[in-house]
């Protein structure tokens, strides 16, 4: 059976499995301690209220990267106002090493 968990990392909730790489908002610290909200192991579901205390997830930071460019267009009709802005969001790539 599949073993997976639903974790919260910096306000984002993600479904993760062992060996999976995930992108999260940029992390400035050296280590990440995700909160485990739900875990499914061999068909048994463990649900936290709101967090599982005994569940542990080991992660490894693989590096930082930039996402695709996001364009923002502002427009007001009948006043000749047009403005285009853009930015590239920064992400951190994490490797989920172990779910225990």
């Amino acid at each position: 059976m599949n073993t997976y968990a639903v974790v919260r990392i910096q306000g984002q909730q993600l479904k993760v499995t062992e060996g999976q790489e995930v992108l999260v908002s940029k992390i400035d610290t050296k280590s990440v301690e995700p909160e485990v909200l739900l875990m499914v192991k061999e068909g048994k579901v463990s649900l936290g209220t709101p967090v599982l205390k005994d569940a542990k997830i080991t992660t490894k930071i693989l590096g930082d990267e930039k996402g695709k460019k996001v364009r923002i267009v502002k427009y007001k009709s009948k006043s000749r106002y047009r403005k285009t802005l853009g930015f590239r969001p920064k992400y951190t790539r994490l490797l989920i090493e172990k779910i225990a």
Side-chain angles (χ1 to χ4, degrees), residues 9-91:
I9 303 171
Q10 287 192 333
Q12 291 179 299
Q13 292 183 11
L14 304 164
K15 178 184 171 185
V16 297
T17 59
E18 285 186 13
Q20 181 183 3
E21 291 183 8
V22 293
L23 281 177
V24 295
S25 298
K26 187 166 172 25
I27 299 170
D28 295 327
T29 59
K30 299 289 183 201
S31 64
V32 180
E33 194 66 37
E35 298 173 316
V36 181
L37 306 174
L38 175 133
M39 190 158 77
V40 176
K41 192 170 190 174
E42 299 168 2
K44 280 185 60 179
V45 178
S46 302
L47 184 63
T49 55
V51 179
L52 287 171
K53 302 291 184 198
D54 56 342
K56 212 57 164 154
I57 293 191
T58 309
T59 60
K60 179 181 179 184
I61 295 178
L62 298 179
D64 295 331
E65 59 187 68
K66 285 185 171 183
K68 288 187 175 182
K69 187 156 195 162
V70 177
R71 295 222 176 253
I72 297 114
V73 178
K74 295 180 179 182
Y75 170 77
K76 291 187 180 177
S77 61
K78 302 175 191 163
S79 64
R80 297 183 182 173
Y81 176 79
R82 289 172 182 84
K83 193 173 211 172
T84 304
L85 302 169
F87 73 98
R88 292 181 67 184
K90 294 177 175 76
Y91 296 114

